[in-house]
């Protein structure tokens, strides 16, 4: 597929490299310009392009940008065909990674809010795995213990496309239903950054509790501080799991 990844940070860089390695035609764009794309991201064949040139003629556009800024891209997306699948990877951390957003604090689902800002439907995927998990723990389909990633969206076709790409990056895709249901994979639900298998993930999504999960999310600075300097991926995953025991 022809894929553009917007955002060249940890998540965007991971996905661009993984999807290019899987054989897709991948462009990477960043608001800071092509020079912001790290050389290692391009080693697999992905190309750095200007943001203004990034969205036309693409099958899929992946948004790897901070939560709440999608509205800045609304004009850019106005001419993008309806059939282009747009995937949102962002997460809301009020007071940590973004300013508080009243609509989301009052219960609007994160990716529903993003879709409204962007002016078009989105699919939620890759948000519920740590960047380092995505970079280092993808394995071929059928590998025992393969980590699963939930995918939520409002059309079967868009979910299928996103699920295939999740598989291509080394993880078992799980159909998590509509975008309205994607709150179950938001921070810090039982399914969020806990490295579960396809057999374990459904129960974790079902166990999500909006009030409890938001409180766990908001306690993240204190919980990370308790891990000490330079926690490992396993330390962070165990911290997230322990919050729900």
């Amino acid at each position: 597929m022809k894929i553009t990844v917007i955002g060249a940070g940890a998540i965007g860089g991971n996905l661009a490299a993984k999807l290019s390695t899987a054989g897709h035609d991948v462009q990477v764009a960043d608001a800071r310009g092509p020079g912001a794309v790290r050389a290692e991201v391009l080693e697999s064949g992905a190309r750095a392009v200007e943001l203004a040139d990034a969205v036309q003629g693409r099958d899929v556009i992946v948004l790897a940008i901070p939560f709440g800024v999608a509205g800045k891209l609304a004009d850019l997306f106005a001419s993008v065909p309806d059939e282009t699948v747009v995937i949102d990877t962002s997460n809301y951390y009020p007071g940590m990674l973004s300013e508080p957003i009243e609509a989301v604090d009052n219960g609007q689902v994160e990716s529903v809010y993003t879709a409204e800002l962007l002016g078009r439907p989105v699919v939620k995927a890759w948000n519920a795995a740590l960047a380092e998990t995505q970079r280092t723990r993808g394995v071929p389909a059928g590998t025992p213990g393969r980590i699963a990633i939930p995918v939520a969206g409002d059309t079967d076709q868009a979910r299928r496309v996103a699920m295939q790409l999740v598989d291509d990056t080394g993880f078992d895709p799980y159909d998590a239903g509509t975008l309205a249901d994607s709150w179950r994979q938001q921070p810090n639900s039982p399914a969020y950054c806990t490295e579960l298998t396809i057999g374990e993930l459904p129960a974790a999504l079902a166990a999500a509790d909006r009030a409890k999960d938001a409180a766990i999310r908001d306690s993240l600075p204190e919980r990370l501080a308790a891990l000490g300097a330079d926690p490992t991926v396993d330390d962070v995953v165990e911290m997230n799991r322990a919050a729900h025991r």
Side-chain angles (χ1 to χ4, degrees), residues 11-87:
I11 297 295
N14 285 341
L15 294 178
K18 294 271 188 177
L19 293 169
S20 182
T21 298
H24 298 287
D25 176 0
V26 180
Q27 297 180 163
V28 192
D30 192 277
R32 297 166 294 175
V37 182
R38 303 185 310 278
E40 59 265 30
V41 173
L42 307 177
E43 290 173 355
S44 59
R47 306 180 308 281
V49 298
E50 294 286 353
L51 183 58
D53 303 323
V55 299
Q56 296 302 319
R58 312 307 286 172
D59 301 309
V60 177
I61 301 171
V62 180
L63 298 178
I65 59 177
F67 183 78
V69 305
K72 296 179 180 179
L73 301 177
D75 289 345
L76 186 67
F77 274 78
S79 61
V80 174
D82 292 343
E83 59 267 24
T84 301
V85 176
V86 180
I87 302 175

Side-chain angles (χ1 to χ4, degrees), residues 189-216:
S189 70
Y192 181 79
C193 297
T194 48
E195 294 193 353
L196 304 178
T197 66
I198 197 76
E200 298 167 327
L201 187 58
L205 290 166
D209 180 300
R210 284 188 170 186
K212 177 184 177 182
D213 298 343
I216 294 171

Side-chain angles (χ1 to χ4, degrees), residues 65-220:
I65 59 177
F67 183 78
V69 305
K72 296 179 180 179
L73 301 177
D75 289 345
L76 186 67
F77 274 78
S79 61
V80 174
D82 292 343
E83 59 267 24
T84 301
V85 176
V86 180
I87 302 175
D88 174 35
T89 70
S90 67
N91 292 301
Y92 178 50
Y93 280 92
M96 289 175 273
L97 299 180
S98 72
E99 294 299 317
I101 297 171
E102 184 177 2
V104 181
D105 289 339
N106 288 339
Q108 187 171 27
V109 176
E110 290 177 4
S111 285
V112 172
Y113 179 78
T114 295
E116 287 188 1
L117 290 180
L118 200 61
R120 61 174 298 126
V122 301
V123 179
K124 186 80 162 183
W126 287 300
N127 76 296
L130 296 167
E132 191 64 7
T133 297
Q134 294 182 38
R135 189 180 73 84
T136 64
R137 298 189 173 180
V139 295
T143 302
R146 197 185 197 208
I147 296 167
I149 288 180
V151 177
D154 288 341
T155 70
D156 291 342
Q157 186 269 343
R159 281 201 308 278
R160 280 196 299 269
V161 169
M163 289 173 70
Q164 179 59 60
L165 295 180
V166 166
D167 190 33
D168 288 346
T169 59
F171 301 91
D172 278 338
Y174 179 78
D175 188 334
T178 66
L179 202 63
D181 293 327
S182 66
W183 64 270
R184 295 183 178 277
Q185 66 198 68
Q186 292 177 181
N188 266 94
S189 70
Y192 181 79
C193 297
T194 48
E195 294 193 353
L196 304 178
T197 66
I198 197 76
E200 298 167 327
L201 187 58
L205 290 166
D209 180 300
R210 284 188 170 186
K212 177 184 177 182
D213 298 343
I216 294 171
R217 175 201 67 196
D218 293 344
S219 71
L220 181 61

